Amino acid sequence: MELVFLAILVLLMVVALTSGFPVAFSLPGSAILSIGLAAGCGYLFAGDTSAYFAQGGPVQWLSAGVTNFRSLYWDVERDTLIAIPLFIFMGIMLQRSKIAEDLLVAMAQLFGPVPGGLGISVVLVGALLAATTGIVGATVIAMGLISLPAMLRNNYSHSLATGTICASGTLGQIIPPSIVLIILADQLSSAADQASTIRKQLYKDATGEYSMPSVFDITSASAGDMFMGALIPGLILVGLYVGYILIVALVKPKMAPPVPYEGNYDRQFAKRVLLALIPPLTLIFVVLGSIIMGVATVNQAGAIGAVGAMIMGGYRLTEGKSSSYYPAILGIGSTLVLIVILSLYTLNIKNIGDNMVGIVLAAIAVTGLLAAVGWSAIRAYRIENTLNEVMIETAKTTSMVFIILIGAAMLTSAFRGFGGEELVKHFLTGLPGGFWTQFIVVMLVIFILGFFLDFIEIAVVVVPIVAPILLADPGANVTAVWLGVMVGLNIQTSFLTPPFGFALFYLRGVAPKIVKTLSIYKGAIAFIGLQLLALVIAGFYPSLVNYLPNRTYLTSENAPPPMNPRLQMCLEEQLFEVYDLEGDRLRASIKELQSADLSALPKQWQQSMTDSGKSAAATFDLVAKVREAEANVLNFTPDYAPLHSEVRRTQSSIRVVDKQIKGWQEALSRLTRDDEPNQAEMDNIKAKLAELESYKQELESEIPAEWKASREQFVALKKAEKIARNKYRSNVDAAYEPLMNLQQVLADTENLSALEGELMGLVDVINSEDNKAAMETIKLTESNLGAIKDASKIKSKFSKARRALKGDTPKRDKALKLHAEGMALFHAEVKWRRHAAEQVGPVLASYDEAIAYSIGLRLQKRMTLDQAKAVARCQSVHRDISLNF
């Protein structure tokens, strides 16, 4: 019965949307009406308001709605949504202040003389505007009003001109910072959590183990990751557009003739072009660069963009006045001063006394920056009421986005409550061809929905339903960033598709009557093909999407250490090649250590370094064993993989049948508890149970007889590989850890020696001070000794001396004796450390330099830049892990 109400939910939504009812109210309204109808029918006909729900009931739906509302507005983990109004403000301000218009005119004058140059300039300006705002309508309308008359005046083909404007205007969907990417990141973050739960359950069902290794978990996506993931595909799309226009202009010159610049290419021209290009380009670089380099979060970058756009708008609105650039100069100067101050001082409120000069200078610079922002804001407010209009448009657009987010969350909860999510899941997983069939079907549905729905509705309604299913698939093992970029490209394509493409309607509204609607449609078709080509390229080469997010993460200040389990496979893949290329050099370094005179070291350290050398020398044999175990798995896989896929599909069907059997058994149990059970209904349920049991036995009989033995053999081979890898990892850690510890010990020699005066002064403390005060002083000294590597024996003596002073009758003589023993250990420790540093230190340093970033890499704090790049490339490819499930 719940399927009836699911159909009512979908029907209500379709009717509301097609009738022109606002989307922000169509989504929650459909959910509320269908939920209310289902609850009312359940109460009237079954005596239970939850009777016609597949999951939960109206109360649970209401609770989910409250939770969604609270998570949207108060959950700090979703603070990325704050960036939406900031980027919207940035884009609208640049457009209302005519900076975008200046940019388009300058680019047209610069590229006009090139064949197709005017069209190329439109594409490039579209890309630049996309990097300032993700609002398609505003960009298409602005370029239609500014560039279309110029293109028509210069005899451009109507279809090429309109197609170029429409396609360029939609670039804001995929080129960061894009509103759609922020929303997709938010939705995919939740979808990744759901997919992780699904995959863990799948792993448990397949292996019987409750804990899934972290290396098999889902790779989620932040807004910053989405921005970086979309950057290269966006640039590829721009390149395809430019290449197409250039080819058309060369093959059919009449369609896109060159447009000679009527003025002179003099200093004034250069100045005008530079003033039009450099400020917005600088703003784009600062906003995106701060995210990519890890300097700022997406929210902080959005704030930078909003402030920068306001300052730029301030000087553009007062163009021609002598004081136009004063706020901009003040703002840039203050920012540069702040950068210099930050490089010279550590501006920390905890150290306010030590950095008072820096804090005062920083306060002055911040005041100057605030004055520049306020000055620009006053200008924007007074001139043509620009600031007020920009704020109103920002508030409208942002409110629409957030209301739709809430409404979509309500709709999705209702969809799940009626079993829609399970229905979609069963449909997709039941398709032949696995992940790629599912993915193509989803992409096709999104493409078609793009004819009727805006990108926000698609992102918040469709993505939460289908993304967990696609992300959970271990065979494809795609990243959330890749899936988000593919969806973004797909949504962008649908904006151009005749006859419903939104970009076509936007341009039709501002294009002159001489331009026929059919010409707009014809022009869009070629660019649709280019967008589909970009979609195919990103699909076949996922590294184009995944590489930049991975590289940025692995080279950032917050990069995981090489010990991180998720890095090991790629790290070893890269290191094993190093062993092949530099094996002779590494062996020679190991032999040098083994033949070195280590007599200056205490016996325990001599033994540690001897063991270290043996472990290092054993590395190459262990690598060979890892490769052998890996080869055994790879050789067995071709025959095993088809059998594994077939059996897992059958077992999945069996689990579905088991779930159905359990449901009917519960229904039968409820009937038997009734005072007057309906015998006919009970017989019907028993018949269904018998049918399901028969079907289950049929499925079980389809599992090949050789499955169990093949599975056991594969598991044994994988276990052997895992053991070989663990032995290698333990061995290289054992090879480098003693060297690392010994070097730290020797490096702390002077720090230890510097404590001599403090330690000697404890004699007077023990003799003359109150026992409690003396204990506190000794405890502070213990803390200083604890910061010295391997000074625990010395620290232990002073700890015992402190405890001797404890109580009402302090044993000062015992404390002094223990102090003397501690000092003897101290002098002996300093002596051997200094001697070892002179005699053995150079040998250890040379050995460390040779093996630190190969055999010893796992124990380093971070990888080298080249290693991080190699690991980023390795992790950018989707790897099939389905055989582990």
Side-chain angles (χ1 to χ4, degrees):
M1 192 67 183
E2 57 269 14
L3 295 180
V4 173
F5 292 101
L6 177 63
I8 291 172
L9 171 68
V10 175
L11 183 63
L12 284 172
M13 182 182 68
V14 171
V15 170
L17 291 174
T18 54
S19 64
F21 201 70
V23 175
F25 304 108
S26 296
L27 303 182
S30 304
I32 292 169
L33 289 174
S34 57
I35 288 287
L37 186 62
C41 290
Y43 179 76
L44 289 173
F45 301 116
D48 181 7
T49 56
S50 303
Y52 299 138
F53 289 81
Q55 296 180 16
V59 176
Q60 289 86 340
W61 175 82
L62 186 61
S63 299
V66 173
T67 303
N68 284 324
F69 181 82
R70 292 182 61 189
S71 69
L72 189 63
Y73 285 99
W74 284 287
D75 191 342
V76 293
E77 293 180 359
R78 297 186 73 177
D79 66 341
T80 300
L81 295 175
I82 296 171
I84 291 176
L86 295 172
F87 284 122
I88 291 174
F89 177 91
M90 172 183 165
I92 296 175
M93 176 59 77
L94 291 177
Q95 289 181 344
R96 290 296 178 92
S97 60
K98 299 185 179 179
I99 288 174
E101 181 178 337
D102 292 345
L103 185 63
L104 187 55
V105 171
M107 293 290 279
Q109 292 174 347
L110 195 61
F111 287 94
V114 178
L118 195 55
I120 291 172
S121 68
V122 170
V123 172
L124 296 178
V125 171
L128 294 175
L129 291 180
T132 62
T133 177
I135 307 171
V136 170
T139 306
V140 172
I141 291 169
M143 291 201 299
L145 290 171
I146 300 166
S147 62
L148 183 57
M151 296 176 85
L152 296 178
R153 227 175 16 249
N154 289 281
N155 300 318
Y156 261 66
S157 162
H158 289 192
S159 60
L160 180 62
T162 54
T164 301
I165 292 170
C166 289
S168 302
T170 62
L171 287 171
Q173 296 297 295
I174 198 63
I175 292 182
S178 161
I179 306 304
V180 69
L181 294 177
I182 296 175
I183 295 173
L184 282 171
D186 178 69
Q187 298 299 317
L188 286 167
S189 177
S190 301
D193 293 338
Q194 296 176 45
S196 178
T197 302
I198 294 171
R199 188 174 285 188
K200 286 172 182 174
Q201 184 61 46
L202 186 63
Y203 187 80
K204 178 187 173 185
D205 292 339
T207 64
E209 298 178 16
Y210 285 87
S211 178
M212 183 181 75
S214 61
V215 293
F216 297 150
D217 213 345
I218 310 294
T219 304
S220 188
S222 65
D225 291 336
M226 289 294 293
F227 283 1
M228 287 176 283
L231 188 58
I232 293 177
L235 294 177
I236 289 173
L237 196 54
V238 171
L240 290 173
Y241 288 175
V242 170
Y244 169 72
I245 294 170
L246 191 58
I247 291 171
V248 169
L250 293 174
V251 174
K252 296 181 178 179
K254 291 182 179 180
M255 290 185 69
V259 182
Y261 176 54
E262 295 177 358
N264 297 320
Y265 289 102
D266 52 13
R267 184 176 298 178
Q268 289 298 320
F269 173 79
K271 179 183 176 182
R272 190 165 60 252
V273 170
L274 290 176
L275 284 176
L277 290 178
I278 290 178
L281 286 174
T282 302
L283 183 63
I284 292 165
F285 173 78
V286 170
V287 170
L288 293 182
S290 62
I291 297 171
I292 291 172
M293 293 186 290
V295 176
T297 64
V298 173
N299 290 343
Q300 292 164 347
I304 293 169
V307 169
M310 188 183 294
I311 291 175
M312 290 166 60
Y315 73 69
R316 176 59 180 83
L317 290 169
T318 57
E319 187 178 27
K321 295 183 179 181
S322 58
S323 60
S324 293
Y325 293 98
Y326 287 178
I329 293 170
L330 178 60
I332 294 170
S334 300
T335 304
L336 293 175
V337 170
L338 272 175
I339 292 171
V340 172
I341 292 170
L342 286 170
S343 66
L344 297 176
Y345 298 94
T346 302
L347 299 183
N348 192 318
I349 198 69
K350 294 180 180 178
N351 304 323
I352 190 169
D354 300 330
N355 298 297
M356 184 57 71
V357 175
I359 290 173
V360 170
L361 292 174
I364 294 171
V366 169
T367 302
L369 181 59
L370 291 174
V373 175
W375 194 348
S376 300
I378 291 170
R379 284 180 168 182
Y381 179 75
R382 288 180 175 176
I383 300 173
E384 299 178 5
N385 203 27
T386 303
L387 182 61
N388 188 45
E389 292 180 359
V390 170
M391 293 292 286
I392 290 172
E393 285 299 315
T394 301
K396 285 181 180 178
T397 306
T398 305
S399 299
M400 178 194 70
V401 170
F402 278 79
I403 291 172
I404 291 174
L405 283 172
I406 294 174
M410 296 171 69
L411 182 74
T412 305
S413 297
F415 190 79
R416 291 192 178 116
F418 292 132
E421 188 174 42
E422 284 296 315
L423 197 66
V424 172
K425 181 180 177 181
H426 291 156
F427 169 73
L428 289 177
T429 53
L431 292 172
F435 171 84
W436 288 107
T437 303
Q438 299 168 19
F439 177 73
I440 290 170
V441 168
V442 168
M443 287 289 107
L444 185 61
V445 170
I446 291 174
F447 181 78
I448 295 171
L449 287 176
F451 295 175
F452 313 100
L453 301 179
D454 200 354
F455 69 89
I456 300 174
E457 294 91 83
I458 296 174
V460 299
V461 174
V462 180
V463 171
I465 295 170
V466 299
I469 300 168
L470 297 175
L471 289 174
D473 191 307
N477 195 30
V478 300
T479 62
V481 174
W482 179 85
L483 182 60
V485 170
M486 295 296 286
V487 171
L489 281 168
N490 192 355
I491 293 173
Q492 181 187 357
T493 303
S494 65
F495 268 88
L496 285 180
T497 309
F500 306 108
F502 285 100
L504 309 180
F505 286 131
Y506 294 138
L507 184 60
R508 177 66 278 174
V510 297
K513 292 182 179 180
I514 192 174
V515 178
K516 304 298 182 185
T517 302
L518 187 60
S519 297
I520 298 176
Y521 289 174
K522 285 173 62 180
I525 290 172
F527 289 93
I528 293 170
L530 295 174
Q531 288 183 339
L532 292 175
L533 177 60
L535 192 65
V536 171
I537 291 171
F540 275 100
Y541 301 99
S543 56
L544 293 173
V545 176
N546 294 326
Y547 175 70
L548 265 185
N550 285 336
R551 173 173 171 169
T552 304
Y553 174 54
L554 295 175
T555 56
S556 68
E557 290 297 322
N558 300 320
M563 180 72 80
N564 189 292
R566 294 179 72 95
L567 303 180
Q568 295 313 300
M569 292 298 293
C570 287
L571 205 61
E572 286 165 9
E573 187 177 299
Q574 190 259 343
L575 280 178
F576 289 2
E577 293 180 3
V578 171
Y579 296 146
D580 292 338
L581 295 172
E582 302 183 18
D584 292 341
R585 181 182 63 82
L586 292 171
R587 290 185 180 91
S589 298
I590 295 167
K591 287 181 180 179
E592 285 180 15
L593 175 72
Q594 291 174 329
S595 61
D597 181 9
L598 303 178
S599 59
L601 298 173
K603 288 185 178 180
Q604 70 269 24
W605 281 111
Q606 290 183 38
Q607 186 60 48
S608 293
M609 292 311 301
T610 300
D611 294 341
S612 170
K614 290 179 180 177
S615 296
T619 298
F620 306 98
D621 289 337
L622 291 174
V623 169
K625 291 180 180 178
V626 170
R627 283 176 163 168
E628 182 183 354
E630 185 180 29
N632 290 338
V633 173
L634 291 175
N635 291 334
F636 184 74
T637 297
D639 293 331
Y640 171 74
L643 176 64
H644 180 275
S645 299
E646 178 189 345
V647 172
R648 290 306 188 212
R649 277 196 300 270
T650 304
Q651 291 176 336
S652 177
S653 299
I654 291 172
R655 284 194 292 272
V656 171
V657 173
D658 282 335
K659 189 175 181 180
Q660 292 173 342
I661 289 173
K662 184 178 179 182
W664 285 114
Q665 285 175 340
E666 289 174 353
L668 183 62
S669 177
R670 284 195 299 269
L671 279 175
T672 55
R673 290 195 297 269
D674 290 345
D675 294 335
E676 296 180 4
N678 187 325
Q679 189 60 46
E681 190 173 351
M682 289 178 63
D683 292 341
N684 185 39
I685 291 176
K686 289 177 181 179
K688 287 181 177 179
L689 282 171
E691 183 181 344
L692 286 171
E693 288 288 354
S694 175
Y695 181 51
K696 178 182 176 181
Q697 291 176 4
E698 183 182 338
L699 288 173
E700 288 173 343
S701 67
E702 291 177 2
I703 297 177
E706 68 271 17
W707 160 246
K708 185 176 180 181
S710 296
R711 179 62 184 173
E712 288 175 353
Q713 188 176 352
F714 178 77
V715 170
L717 291 173
K718 288 295 291 184
K719 184 178 180 180
E721 183 188 1
K722 182 179 179 181
I723 291 171
R725 289 189 183 277
N726 286 339
K727 283 183 178 179
Y728 160 78
R729 293 166 188 171
S730 299
N731 179 77
V732 292
D733 291 349
Y736 189 73
E737 190 172 15
L739 172 65
M740 181 178 67
N741 290 336
L742 180 54
Q743 286 196 302
Q744 290 176 355
V745 166
L746 298 182
D748 269 352
T749 301
E750 295 309 315
N751 292 334
L752 179 63
S753 177
L755 295 177
E756 184 173 7
E758 181 181 339
L759 295 173
M760 292 298 295
L762 291 179
V763 173
D764 293 336
V765 171
I766 294 171
N767 282 324
S768 59
E769 288 190 12
D770 173 74
N771 63 321
K772 290 184 177 180
M775 288 174 68
E776 287 298 321
T777 304
I778 296 173
K779 192 172 184 180
L780 181 61
T781 301
E782 289 176 48
S783 177
N784 293 334
L785 283 169
I788 305 297
K789 182 72 174 178
D790 206 38
S792 56
K793 290 182 180 179
I794 305 170
K795 178 184 174 184
S796 176
K797 290 294 182 182
F798 288 95
S799 297
K800 290 178 180 178
R802 174 174 55 82
R803 288 194 291 271
L805 299 175
K806 192 175 182 181
D808 296 331
T809 56
K811 301 173 183 177
R812 298 186 186 276
D813 291 340
K814 183 179 179 181
L816 289 171
K817 181 181 178 183
L818 288 167
H819 175 274
E821 292 175 1
M823 289 305 302
L825 285 174
F826 169 81
H827 289 301
E829 188 75 12
V830 171
K831 182 179 179 181
W832 85 255
R833 288 191 185 202
R834 282 180 170 163
H835 181 58
E838 293 177 3
Q839 299 296 318
V840 185
V843 175
L844 297 179
S846 175
Y847 180 57
D848 182 51
E849 185 179 355
I851 72 165
Y853 288 96
S854 53
I855 293 173
L857 178 59
R858 275 171 50 86
L859 297 183
Q860 301 299 326
K861 291 182 179 179
R862 59 189 305 121
M863 297 175 282
T864 66
L865 180 59
D866 288 339
Q867 288 171 335
K869 289 178 182 177
V871 173
R873 284 193 298 271
C874 173
Q875 291 194 322
S876 297
V877 179
H878 299 147
R879 297 172 183 266
D880 183 353
I881 58 172
S882 60
L883 296 183
N884 298 286
F885 287 78

